[in-house]
Amino acid sequence: MSESSGEQLRVAVVGGDGIGPEVIEQGLRVIEAAGVSLETEHYDLGGSRYLRDGTILPDEVLAEWRDVHAIYLGAVGTPDVPPGVIERGLLLKMRFELDLYVNQRPFKLAAAGGGSANEADGVPGHDFVVIRENTEGTYAGEGGFLRKGTPHEIATQGSVNTRMGAERCIRYAYDLATRRNDHLTLVHKTNVLTFSGDLWDRTFTEVGGEYPGVDTAYNHVDAACIYFVQDPQRYDVIVTDNLFGDILTDLGGAVSGGIGLASSANLNPDRTGPSMFEPVHGSAPDIAGQNKANPIAAILSGALMLDFLGQGEAARRIEAACDACAELDGSTVEVADAVMAKL
């Protein structure tokens, strides 16, 4: 699906489970208030649907999604569904089938005292983006059991890394760095993961030869975890593999105001199909239906969607409005109303 240019933007909406439908409803309200008209179709998918009739993500739904511009997802998962069923059957299937090979997650925290991000005014702020490879690594599903259920059981879980997969993700990160501050950090564990780490490191270096204006750095993933907490200002764009990116981006949310403020884009940069946009937080069933969930992450994910679809001006207005409301303590609807008032 190509980037929209004047045509009606068609978006598949998956509210999902728990607080998902509530925060997505507010995200859609904000998008409309920003002056962007969407043609939406809602899909009942997630843990609750699975418990009702066993449906996870039918192939016919995937076929319908290939004709939309984007997918806007709230959150999926319920405590009554065994771990892995919805994650692999819906989220990972979506990533693999639609080739959503870049997971992009921005993290921003204003400096204490009202300064801008990265300004040393009291506690310094930060503004960085993690680019996570989204279709390979340990999440590709390579592995199996031997002698399962016996005292001699063996479980293997392989990490699948291809030159193509690493290179296209790394190249996307270099391109993003040139549009920001010309700095890119590779995060891996090359001292121990001597095969996959070597592939990533060599690819990073070789592709970097095409971007002489971008300064580069390398961190082991354990060191990066420390720096996320103690010195996140050192980062601008980070590129890493699937597993490390999954862990680092949750930590990124924790050091940037909380996971409830963290947005996410699952991108097909080649635009051979729709990209998917979702808040990083879970379905939080304990507060579902109580008008308590903070919708900022969902609203910011909607802004990422608009930016990817060529509506950059509206996206920037929404992001600025969310920044102005980041400290607001209110109900789900009150926070969205405050964001709309700032537009």
Side-chain angles (χ1 to χ4, degrees), residues 7-342:
E7 63 179 309
Q8 179 71 39
L9 294 173
R10 300 186 303 281
V11 175
V13 178
V14 182
D17 299 306
I19 64 172
E22 300 171 57
V23 295
I24 287 297
E25 178 184 3
Q26 302 311 313
L28 292 171
R29 289 180 65 219
V30 171
I31 289 171
E32 182 178 9
V36 180
S37 175
L38 302 179
E39 179 184 321
T40 60
E41 183 166 353
H42 292 254
Y43 290 82
D44 178 15
L45 297 170
S48 297
R49 174 70 184 274
Y50 173 77
L51 290 173
R52 287 202 310 273
D53 61 16
T55 298
I56 304 179
L57 177 56
D59 289 340
E60 55 268 26
V61 170
L62 267 176
E64 292 177 15
W65 285 355
R66 294 183 189 279
D67 291 325
V68 302
H69 291 99
I71 302 161
Y72 191 28
L73 185 146
V76 291
T78 62
D80 296 328
V81 178
V85 173
I86 301 301
E87 292 86 349
R88 186 157 290 278
L90 177 61
L91 297 176
L92 293 186
K93 182 177 181 179
M94 193 186 309
R95 293 175 190 171
F96 298 150
E97 293 293 329
L98 299 176
D99 205 19
L100 309 178
Y101 63 85
V102 164
N103 180 244
Q104 179 169 328
R105 295 185 178 179
F107 300 101
K108 182 186 297 186
L109 184 69
S116 61
N118 293 330
E119 180 180 322
D121 179 11
V123 178
H126 56 255
D127 181 354
F128 64 89
V129 180
V130 177
I131 301 301
R132 163 192 173 191
E133 200 290 318
N134 215 28
T135 60
E136 295 189 344
T138 50
Y139 292 13
E142 192 275 328
F145 291 102
L146 289 174
R147 309 184 190 97
K148 187 175 183 181
T150 75
H152 304 287
E153 180 173 344
I154 300 170
T156 63
Q157 190 81 56
S159 178
V160 178
N161 299 265
T162 69
R163 170 66 189 228
M164 181 200 74
E167 180 172 340
R168 65 184 184 174
C169 184
I170 288 169
R171 190 174 298 278
Y172 179 91
Y174 270 107
D175 286 337
L176 179 61
T178 64
R179 300 194 300 272
R180 286 175 55 93
N181 297 302
D182 288 318
H183 191 274
L184 177 62
T185 303
L186 170 65
V187 172
H188 211 281
K189 191 69 174 172
T190 56
N191 59 334
V192 176
L193 303 179
T194 53
F195 301 119
S196 62
D198 183 67
L199 172 63
W200 273 82
D201 186 55
R202 281 186 290 109
T203 305
F204 184 76
T205 300
E206 291 168 15
V207 173
E210 303 174 28
Y211 297 85
V214 177
D215 293 327
T216 61
Y218 171 80
N219 292 155
H220 290 326
V221 65
D222 42 356
C225 289
I226 296 171
Y227 296 144
F228 267 41
V229 175
Q230 295 183 345
D231 185 26
Q233 298 79 25
R234 70 171 56 213
Y235 294 119
D236 188 60
V237 180
I238 296 165
V239 64
T240 189
D241 80 348
N242 207 338
L243 176 60
F244 295 149
D246 192 4
I247 297 167
L248 281 175
T249 51
D250 280 357
L251 181 57
V255 300
S256 304
I259 204 75
L261 303 178
S263 58
S264 175
N266 298 268
L267 302 177
N268 177 333
D270 303 325
R271 302 180 189 270
T272 58
S275 295
M276 186 268 279
F277 303 83
E278 60 174 336
V280 175
H281 62 65
S283 60
D286 55 320
I287 60 170
Q290 300 177 41
N291 195 29
K292 290 182 178 180
N294 190 328
I296 289 289
I299 295 170
L300 287 171
S301 297
L304 288 174
M305 177 173 68
L306 294 185
D307 188 57
F308 190 72
L309 296 178
Q311 302 291 323
E313 189 274 335
R316 286 185 289 273
R317 288 172 54 220
I318 292 173
E319 290 169 1
C322 286
D323 287 347
C325 299
E327 302 298 324
L328 181 63
D329 184 17
S331 71
T332 306
V333 174
E334 286 172 342
V335 172
D337 286 345
V339 171
M340 289 189 287
K342 296 285 186 181

